[in-house]
Amino acid sequence: MDLAVNMDAATMSPVALFLQADWVVKFVMLGLLLASIWTWAIIISFSYRLANMRKATRRFEREYERADDMDAFHRMRGDSDIAVARVFSAGVAEWRRSTKNRTVDREGTRERLATSMGAAVASEIDRLSDRLNILATVGSVAPFVGLFGTVWGIMRSFTAIAGEQNSSLAVVAPGIAEALFATAIGLFAAIPAVIAYNRFSHAINRTEARLNRFADGFHTTLSRQLEGGA
């Protein structure tokens, strides 16, 4: 009896648990493993993207503050592939459309500038947060998928008990182990996804606030030019 128990314990490694599982539990494990890999790929790529965007945004803002000529600065940095540059370009484009005529509607120009840059900010935030819904989905669904594998493994254990009319540990251990392993993989996929989703959502909110501050500052600068008769 002791030898049999020791032999069973030797087959409880993760690889062995996967290989001895039936096709339903294997499907659940593979799906959760792929979800975990996908989650970590998004986490790594999104972290790298946010870090680069913060660095580029700080550099753009410093150069903008030192610029004396808006048109020259727009020619130099207006085509930069960063969110703040696109917000800036949206403001410049609307400014040129609104002030190209001899008579300028100052209040209408201010409203159109605010609307144009606000829409640009919203578009950039939508683009930035495009993949966060994947993290939210994995974080909310993965535990239930793992629970399905758990239930299936326990059902298999009860079926083995009924088939062999034996409730010893050697009979029920494989099914229970598969069930718990499926639950563990589900949690391994869900926990990082939930943590990353919350952290990235906070970072995106801060990015949106920063873009709005830049848009408000640029709007103020253009409003002063309107008051000066530009």
Side-chain angles (χ1 to χ4, degrees):
M1 178 64 69
D2 293 339
L3 179 59
V5 172
N6 290 334
M7 291 178 62
D8 288 338
T11 64
M12 293 301 169
S13 67
V15 175
L17 289 175
F18 174 78
L19 293 177
Q20 69 190 13
D22 67 349
W23 67 271
V24 174
V25 180
K26 283 182 179 178
F27 182 78
V28 170
M29 291 179 180
L30 284 175
L32 291 172
L33 184 60
L34 291 175
S36 179
I37 294 172
W38 195 6
T39 295
W40 280 105
I42 292 174
I43 291 172
I44 293 171
S45 63
F46 203 88
S47 299
Y48 181 77
R49 182 180 178 186
L50 281 176
N52 286 341
M53 188 183 67
R54 291 193 192 101
K55 183 178 179 180
T57 299
R58 286 194 297 267
R59 182 166 58 248
F60 185 94
E61 289 176 341
R62 286 195 300 267
E63 294 176 0
Y64 168 78
E65 291 171 358
R66 293 196 298 264
D68 295 326
D69 188 332
M70 181 186 68
D71 291 329
F73 180 73
H74 182 259
R75 287 192 297 271
M76 180 179 65
R77 295 299 308 274
D79 293 332
S80 300
D81 189 23
I82 54 176
V84 67
R86 286 188 283 269
V87 173
F88 172 73
S89 294
V92 171
E94 182 56 45
W95 168 262
R96 289 173 176 172
R97 285 192 297 266
S98 297
T99 59
K100 65 181 179 179
N101 297 323
R102 182 180 298 273
T103 303
V104 177
D105 180 3
R106 294 181 178 180
E107 291 303 318
T109 298
R110 291 189 180 95
E111 292 179 3
R112 287 190 293 271
L113 285 170
T115 300
S116 177
M117 288 190 286
V121 170
S123 177
E124 293 303 318
I125 295 302
D126 287 342
R127 182 183 294 111
L128 184 62
S129 59
D130 181 53
R131 293 189 177 182
L132 286 190
N133 62 326
I134 298 175
L135 296 180
T137 301
V138 172
S140 59
V141 173
F144 294 101
V145 176
L147 181 61
F148 172 76
T150 301
V151 173
W152 191 270
I154 292 174
M155 289 172 57
R156 187 180 177 212
S157 297
F158 282 120
T159 302
I161 292 173
E164 299 188 19
Q165 296 182 352
N166 185 354
S167 60
S168 66
L169 183 61
V171 173
V172 301
I176 298 297
E178 294 166 15
L180 295 177
F181 189 48
T183 302
I185 297 177
L187 294 175
F188 182 76
I191 292 174
V194 172
I195 294 174
Y197 177 80
N198 291 332
R199 289 182 61 85
F200 289 153
S201 294
H202 177 66
I204 287 175
N205 289 336
R206 293 183 61 183
T207 300
E208 183 177 12
R210 186 169 192 167
L211 291 177
N212 281 323
R213 285 195 299 270
F214 175 85
D216 291 342
F218 188 38
H219 186 275
T220 300
T221 299
L222 296 178
S223 294
R224 291 196 188 100
Q225 292 193 30
L226 281 175
E227 293 299 330

